[in-house]
Amino acid sequence: MTDAAAASEPLIHSHGHHSDYAESNGEADVDEGTLVRPGVFIWVLTFCAGVSGLLFGYDTGVISSTLVSIGTDLSAHPLSTLDKSLITSSTSLFALIASPLTGVLADHWGRKRVILLADVLFVGGALWQALTATVWGMIIGRSIVGLAVGSASFVVPLYISELSPSPFRGRLVTVASLFITGGQVVAYIVGWLFSTHAHGWRWMVGLGALPAAIQFLILGFMPETPRWLIKASHKDQAKRVLLQVYGGGDEIKNIVDAVLRRVEREVLEEEEAARGRAHPEAPKHELGVKLAKINDGFAQLIAVDGNRRALIIACMLQGFQQLCGFNSLMYFSATIFSLVGFRSPTLTSLSIALTNFAFTLVAFHSIDRVGRRRILLYSIPIMVIGLSLCSVAFNFVNIPSHEVATNNPAENVAGAVWPVVILVAMIIYVAGYAIGMGNVPWQQSELFPLSVRSLGSGLATATNWGSNFLIGLTFLPMMEGLTPVGTFALYTVICIACWFTVWRIYPETCGLSLEEVGGLLKDGWGVQDSVRRARERKHATS
């Protein structure tokens, strides 16, 4: 078929014969695996969207330095354990609230507009924190930032995933995680630079508005994802975006046409299924129709076996990502290092952020080569080793109350050896986390079909932030009540449970298109089939 004929041919002949049409046009023979590297356009889009990840990382990382720098600036008294827990956990709580709500909005508004909304919230929350004079004012500011983080944390990986060619999807989504860890590094550096300045914490939190404002300005040049455009009946725009993403050439045009047909067929099949589920008494007014669609989306997530398995896997990964205790280090690492006697706890915390960033680079290099499932099974044992060593080391350190340690860090030196062992153990743990659990759960959108992708991703992200809220609220009380030894031993047990759950139900999705992944979960967890197919792909390319 000539290019001109292909251009004039409809993507789908009719509602009844779309499969035959796809086969007659050689769709089955089109292989995205022939693509050698991502193009410049997709890299630009990924980095533009990744700015939200930078904000996500900065706002979660900066609180560690802020908590040890506020002093009596808020409400004219030192922060209590409850104050610190509420300030920290409020971000997670409102991120939990925002994730499912913006999951619905992303279906109606598009992925790009939700990123824009998050930018507005990032700016407002940062400025509110910088100007407040009370503890509750700080909690409100952190809550506004939580709404932004909850929106950005799910929609940015979704945006990148829906734009990315399948051979590079893992790496490109991991770029968002690189920005998150990079934002945490920047947060610790800024925290260190301003830690000796009077009221320097206000600059720490206020500077979070700058990247959001920059992204807001460049957002107009970013396209919507082609999969959402097809769902919204903007096929010509979707094709233009895909051609920019994949590049030119006759072979590329064939791949683009095949992707369009595959996505359009999925949308068509879902629309036909939705019409079959519709009831004669369904509401006819616009609001009623939208509410009915939302209700139908929730129902399909639970009622359809493949969707339910995808939701279980995504929520499992996101829950374990937080329950393993990593963000207790992000939020309270400076407090921990102050407790064990480091004279510059904020600077010491920088080693955690740098380790996280460095080993996220390892994940970026490996995730599409090693595979999602294998990288988790290899890295979680490293986390177990680090947490176990940390639990043992705390047994030999005399821990004062955190208020004493924060106000007089130089007087709480617990010996030269065991604090260093704790630092090394945390670095080992963070390295294992960054390689696997820090990145793989954010590949969540690839598990869901287009009809429930944003809703499923939003609910999985809500699980992440619900677990994050629990960690932020309970960590300091657990350190006091359960002791550091018991706290880190509990995180160790959770990591062991995570390894067995991944081994049992998480299939290998590396190298599969978004539309192909859904087929793995239709009749079961698809673990054995996915591992076999991954081995075949590896042998075919070696």
Side-chain angles (χ1 to χ4, degrees):
M1 182 182 291
T2 64
D3 291 343
S8 62
E9 195 73 40
L11 292 177
I12 296 179
H13 261 316
S14 69
H15 288 194
H17 303 287
H18 45 78
S19 296
D20 293 338
Y21 174 77
E23 291 174 6
S24 67
N25 280 273
E27 180 180 332
D29 297 326
V30 176
D31 181 15
E32 289 185 73
T34 59
L35 299 172
V36 177
R37 63 180 62 87
V40 173
F41 186 73
I42 185 61
W43 278 118
V44 171
L45 291 179
T46 300
F47 276 84
C48 288
V51 174
S52 289
L54 180 73
L55 291 162
F56 172 7
Y58 184 87
D59 280 299
T60 55
V62 77
I63 194 63
S64 178
S65 304
T66 303
L67 290 177
V68 296
S69 302
I70 287 175
T72 59
D73 286 353
L74 296 179
S75 301
H77 64 74
L79 297 180
S80 66
T81 297
L82 179 61
D83 291 336
K84 291 183 177 183
S85 296
L86 289 175
I87 289 171
T88 303
S89 60
S90 60
T91 303
S92 305
L93 176 61
F94 278 82
L96 164 64
I97 295 169
S99 298
L101 293 178
T102 50
V104 173
L105 290 178
D107 267 342
H108 292 280
W109 290 0
R111 291 39 166 152
K112 173 181 169 180
R113 290 178 181 173
V114 174
I115 299 175
L116 177 62
L117 173 64
D119 284 333
V120 174
L121 292 170
F122 272 125
V123 172
L127 295 179
W128 187 295
Q129 290 175 83
L131 297 174
T132 190
T134 66
V135 170
W136 278 104
M138 188 67 171
I139 292 171
I140 292 172
R142 295 296 297 172
S143 300
I144 295 171
V145 167
L147 293 173
V149 169
S151 304
S153 60
F154 108 86
V155 78
V156 170
L158 172 62
Y159 180 87
I160 296 172
S161 182
E162 289 194 338
L163 279 162
S164 303
S166 58
F168 320 116
R169 189 173 61 245
R171 272 180 283 169
L172 292 172
V173 173
T174 302
V175 169
S177 296
L178 273 173
F179 271 93
I180 293 171
T181 57
Q184 290 165 347
V185 171
V186 172
Y188 281 116
I189 292 174
V190 169
W192 173 57
L193 291 175
F194 284 98
S195 62
T196 57
H197 290 69
H199 315 296
W201 65 271
R202 296 188 184 276
W203 285 98
M204 297 179 199
V205 295
L207 286 173
L210 183 60
I214 293 173
Q215 187 182 55
F216 187 92
L217 293 176
I218 64 177
L219 195 65
F221 300 98
M222 297 167 62
E224 187 51 81
T225 74
R227 286 171 170 84
W228 185 85
L229 289 169
I230 292 173
K231 190 176 179 180
S233 301
H234 300 302
K235 301 171 191 174
D236 292 338
Q237 292 181 43
K239 186 169 185 177
R240 285 196 296 271
V241 174
L242 281 172
L243 285 170
Q244 288 178 294
V245 168
Y246 284 80
D250 292 338
E251 184 179 357
I252 295 300
K253 290 179 181 177
N254 290 335
I255 293 176
V256 167
D257 284 340
V259 172
L260 284 169
R261 293 186 192 99
R262 197 161 56 213
V263 177
E264 193 175 14
R265 183 169 66 248
E266 182 183 350
V267 172
L268 178 60
E269 290 172 349
E270 172 53 31
E271 288 175 350
E272 291 175 344
R275 282 194 293 271
R277 296 190 299 267
H279 299 287
E281 66 275 12
K284 303 301 181 184
H285 53 88
E286 184 177 354
L287 179 60
V289 170
K290 288 182 178 179
L291 291 175
K293 285 184 177 180
I294 294 171
N295 183 64
D296 183 63
F298 277 104
Q300 291 311 299
L301 263 178
I302 304 302
V304 176
D305 290 343
N307 295 347
R308 186 172 61 253
R309 292 187 188 99
L311 185 64
I312 289 170
I313 292 171
C315 291
M316 175 272 294
L317 289 174
Q318 291 286 18
F320 275 126
Q321 188 195 62
Q322 297 304 318
L323 294 175
C324 69
F326 174 76
N327 272 330
S328 63
L329 299 187
M330 283 296 100
Y331 298 148
F332 300 114
S333 59
T335 301
I336 293 171
F337 293 134
S338 178
L339 288 172
V340 299
F342 285 96
R343 285 182 169 80
S344 181
T346 300
L347 183 59
T348 308
S349 298
L350 181 60
S351 62
I352 300 297
L354 288 173
T355 300
N356 193 21
F357 180 78
F359 283 88
T360 301
L361 287 172
V362 175
F364 171 78
H365 177 76
S366 305
I367 194 166
D368 283 324
R369 295 174 173 85
V370 178
R372 282 71 149 151
R373 172 183 166 87
R374 287 174 66 199
I375 210 168
L376 283 180
L377 295 178
Y378 293 162
S379 62
I380 293 174
I382 300 173
M383 297 169 60
V384 171
I385 292 170
L387 286 170
S388 301
L389 181 58
C390 202
S391 180
V392 171
F394 268 114
N395 196 48
F396 297 94
V397 177
N398 182 27
I399 303 294
S401 68
H402 80 274
E403 287 89 353
V404 172
T406 300
N407 295 330
N408 302 285
E411 299 176 8
N412 294 291
V413 178
V417 177
W418 290 109
V420 174
V421 172
I422 290 172
L423 175 60
V424 171
M426 288 183 177
I427 287 174
I428 292 171
Y429 163 70
V430 170
Y433 177 90
I435 293 171
M437 285 303 295
N439 294 285
V440 174
W442 295 113
Q443 308 291 330
Q444 61 190 9
S445 58
E446 68 184 9
L447 296 167
F448 297 99
L450 181 60
S451 59
V452 294
R453 184 169 295 146
S454 64
L455 183 59
S457 298
L459 290 175
T461 305
T463 303
N464 179 294
W465 289 110
S467 304
N468 193 316
F469 171 71
L470 183 64
I471 290 294
L473 191 63
T474 62
F475 178 72
L476 288 179
M478 283 173 61
M479 289 281 283
E480 293 182 353
L482 196 58
T483 75
V485 174
T487 299
F488 284 89
L490 177 60
Y491 293 153
T492 304
V493 172
I494 291 172
C495 286
I496 294 172
C498 175
W499 189 93
F500 280 102
T501 309
V502 169
W503 176 78
R504 178 68 181 85
I505 70 172
Y506 185 40
E508 183 55 75
T509 59
C510 177
L512 300 177
S513 71
L514 290 176
E515 291 68 38
E516 290 172 329
V517 172
L520 285 175
L521 300 171
K522 283 185 177 179
D523 301 315
W525 298 108
V527 172
Q528 297 302 320
D529 182 44
S530 69
V531 171
R532 176 185 56 78
R533 292 166 68 175
R535 288 198 192 105
E536 290 173 353
R537 286 194 302 272
K538 184 177 180 180
H539 290 318
T541 56
S542 60

